[in-house]
Amino acid sequence: MNSKLVQRQKIRYRIRKKVSGTATKPRLSIFRSNAEIYAQLIDDVNGVTLAAASSRDKQILAHKVTKVEKAKLVGNAIAQKATSLGITTCVFDRGGNLYHGRVKSVADGAREGGLQF
């Protein structure tokens, strides 16, 4: 495997040892590919995904903006889904990526949408 991917996987495991979500305070997990970005609210106690949003959703695809701006829209969308479920707080899981660029943009969008972490 690529050494960069191996290093990211090690970071991801290190984060997951410390970060866990519950039904009242789920884990906001971010997955970033080269083209898209995905966000999930996960209850690790029951092993259930409570809500999900991605840059492939129809509402977000309709906007013709940069990847960083799409990431902010994803964060806003996941925050709206969380508030409709009655969730106001969560734990942020950056998925081994640096807190920079698109990952930071998702976090900022979620904060603007009303999530606290």
Side-chain angles (χ1 to χ4, degrees), residues 23-35:
T24 57
K25 192 173 183 179
R27 175 171 55 99
L28 176 59
S29 176
I30 305 298
F31 175 75
R32 180 183 62 85
S33 71
N34 284 339

Side-chain angles (χ1 to χ4, degrees), residues 9-108:
Q9 194 67 19
K10 285 181 183 178
I11 294 168
R12 201 169 145 253
Y13 289 148
R14 199 176 325 132
I15 291 169
R16 283 292 290 124
K17 275 195 277 187
K18 298 174 187 173
V19 175
S20 182
T22 63
T24 57
K25 192 173 183 179
R27 175 171 55 99
L28 176 59
S29 176
I30 305 298
F31 175 75
R32 180 183 62 85
S33 71
N34 284 339
E36 310 293 341
I37 192 154
Y38 306 86
Q40 291 182 330
L41 284 172
I42 302 170
D43 174 11
D44 290 315
V45 175
N46 298 321
V48 195
T49 298
L50 304 173
S54 76
S55 57
R56 299 187 61 151
D57 292 344
K58 289 183 180 179
Q59 303 91 334
I60 297 171
L61 268 178
H63 299 283
K64 299 296 180 192
V65 292
T66 64
K67 289 192 271 189
V68 174
E69 292 165 347
K70 274 189 183 178
K72 194 166 200 171
L73 293 173
V74 169
N76 207 341
I78 196 77
Q80 288 176 355
K81 290 179 182 182
T83 52
S84 69
L85 292 171
I87 298 168
T88 57
T89 61
C90 67
V91 182
F92 191 71
D93 176 11
R94 59 189 171 93
N97 299 301
L98 292 175
Y99 186 78
H100 176 264
R102 289 192 281 157
V103 175
K104 183 175 187 241
S105 186
V106 170
D108 291 341

